[in-house]
Amino acid sequence: VPEQWDAAAADRSLIPGLVEEVIRWVTPLNNFFRTATRDDRIGDQPVKAGDRVLIAYPSANRDDAVFDEPYRFDIRRDPNPHVAFGQGTHHCLGVSLARIEGQEVFRAMAERFPALRLATRTRSSACARSGEATSSDSITVRISHEGPYEELATTSVVATGYGPGEEAVGSLGIVGPTR
C-alpha cells in the first residue's frame, strides 16, 4: 500500500507498526492442527475429545471481532493482537529477533529506497502455498532516487499475502536491475 510505505519512510517511528502489520497481513504460518483432549466448545461449536481442530492463522488475523477493518492494511493499527507468531507453548521463540530483523530491514529500505513500489499488482506465479507456510521465490519492485523508477528483481521473499483488492509488502532481498 503505497501511502503506508510513504508514511513509514518519512517517519521511521512508524516502522515497528509496519513490521507488526506486515506480519499480521502475510502470516507466514498458515495453519496448525491440534487434537482435543477433552470435550469442550470453541465459540458456539462443540468439540469432542479426539476431534482434530484446525487453527487458521490468516483467518484469525482477519477476525472482525478482534480487528477493526481487518482487510485494511494499517501500520498505525493499535493494538495489533495478531497471532502470526503462534501462542502459548507454541509461541515462536525467535519472535523478538524476528521483530528486530524486520525493523532493521525496513529502516534500511526506507533510508535507501523511500519511493519503493511493487511493479505488479498480481500474485506472482512463483508464489507457493503449502498447507502450512506461505513463500515466494521472487517479486519485482520499482525504486526511485528522485528520478525515474528503476525496476529491480528480488529474491528470498519470505512471505507474501493478499486480501480483497490489496497487496502486501514483504521481506525483500534486492539483487539488481532486470534490464
Side-chain angles (χ1 to χ4, degrees), residues 25-121:
W25 194 255
V26 299
T27 311
L29 184 63
N30 287 332
N31 59 58
F32 202 82
F33 284 96
R34 303 313 286 154
T35 302
T37 59
R38 60 181 169 82
D39 292 352
D40 207 337
R41 298 187 80 71
I42 299 176
D44 294 332
Q45 180 67 42
V47 178
K48 298 211 177 284
D51 284 354
R52 300 257 304 159
V53 178
L54 169 70
I55 302 166
Y57 291 101
S59 178
N61 286 337
R62 305 279 191 301
D63 186 343
D64 60 9
V66 176
F67 298 97
D68 291 333
E69 298 183 76
Y71 287 96
R72 181 174 51 91
F73 185 89
D74 182 6
I75 65 174
R76 292 176 178 92
R77 187 179 300 279
D78 185 30
N80 192 344
H82 65 77
V83 293
F85 288 114
Q87 59 186 357
T89 59
H90 295 283
H91 193 258
C92 176
L93 291 175
V95 65
S96 295
L97 179 59
R99 285 183 167 124
I100 290 168
E101 287 176 334
Q103 291 172 22
E104 291 305 311
V105 165
F106 284 120
R107 277 190 188 97
M109 288 172 60
E111 180 70 30
R112 187 160 180 208
F113 309 117
L116 184 70
R117 294 289 185 267
L118 289 174
T120 61
R121 295 191 56 85

